[in-house]
Amino acid sequence: MSNPVSDLVLGFQNLVAEVPDLVQPLVVALAGAVPFIEGEGAAAIGIIGGIPPIVAALAGAVGNLICVAVVVLATSRVRTAVTTRRGGSAKPATARREKFERAYHRYGTPGVSLLGPLLLPTQFTAAALTSTGVPPVRVLAWQAAAIALWTTVITLIITGVIRAVA
């Protein structure tokens, strides 16, 4: 049985190998916009495909951040429409939402943003933060920091600058 994320990664790797050098960073940016691949996975795809590490990391991170920005802006609009229609009343909490809110109260926007990629794609974390009322600019700033951090760390590991502890 095949894994859809693995198939997608292989598809992006093959595409990077097939397109002209000038287009390769665009493919990497597109991969960065995909949940579960993210900026760090896209950077790996680019580096393995022969793109210089800095170019691959920047392309992957930019693609990831553009997608996160679209998610944040859309979620913010939906939240505004829903709360306006309900007169500002809160939506009933689900078990999953309560778990997220506990993590949010414990770690705040910085912690959820920086640690979130260990559990969920940045798009999901950004949508959850925005839907709870965190201002979109704050969400975007911390998501950008998280994307930059994780993409840089993975890029440094892949290039051998940092050795992963085994």
Side-chain angles (χ1 to χ4, degrees):
M1 182 176 217
S2 69
N3 177 331
V5 176
S6 294
D7 293 345
L8 199 54
V9 168
L10 289 173
F12 277 116
Q13 286 176 335
N14 292 334
L15 188 56
V16 165
E18 293 173 8
V19 298
D21 291 353
L22 224 65
V23 180
Q24 290 175 338
L26 296 175
V27 173
V28 171
L30 182 61
V34 177
F36 297 104
I37 293 180
E38 312 274 330
E40 58 271 19
I45 289 168
I47 293 166
I48 291 167
I51 298 174
I54 292 174
V55 174
L58 285 173
V62 167
N64 194 181
L65 186 58
I66 289 171
C67 183
V68 166
V70 169
V71 168
V72 167
L73 295 174
T75 304
S76 177
R77 285 184 172 209
V78 169
R79 182 180 192 285
T80 299
V82 169
T83 55
T84 301
R85 186 174 306 137
R86 289 187 180 164
S89 65
K91 145 178 156 175
T94 63
R96 183 177 287 166
R97 185 169 187 82
E98 287 176 3
K99 185 176 180 181
F100 174 81
E101 288 184 8
R102 277 194 307 274
Y104 178 72
H105 290 298
R106 184 173 189 176
Y107 303 110
T109 303
V112 170
S113 294
L114 295 171
L115 297 173
L118 296 173
L119 302 172
L120 292 170
T122 52
Q123 295 89 337
F124 298 175
T125 305
L129 286 167
T130 306
S131 71
T132 60
V134 177
V137 171
R138 183 171 171 82
V139 174
L140 285 172
W142 282 106
Q143 289 299 305
I147 290 166
L149 171 73
W150 289 107
T151 302
T152 300
V153 167
I154 296 303
T155 299
L156 293 174
I157 290 171
I158 290 170
T159 57
V161 173
I162 295 176
R163 292 211 182 269
V165 179

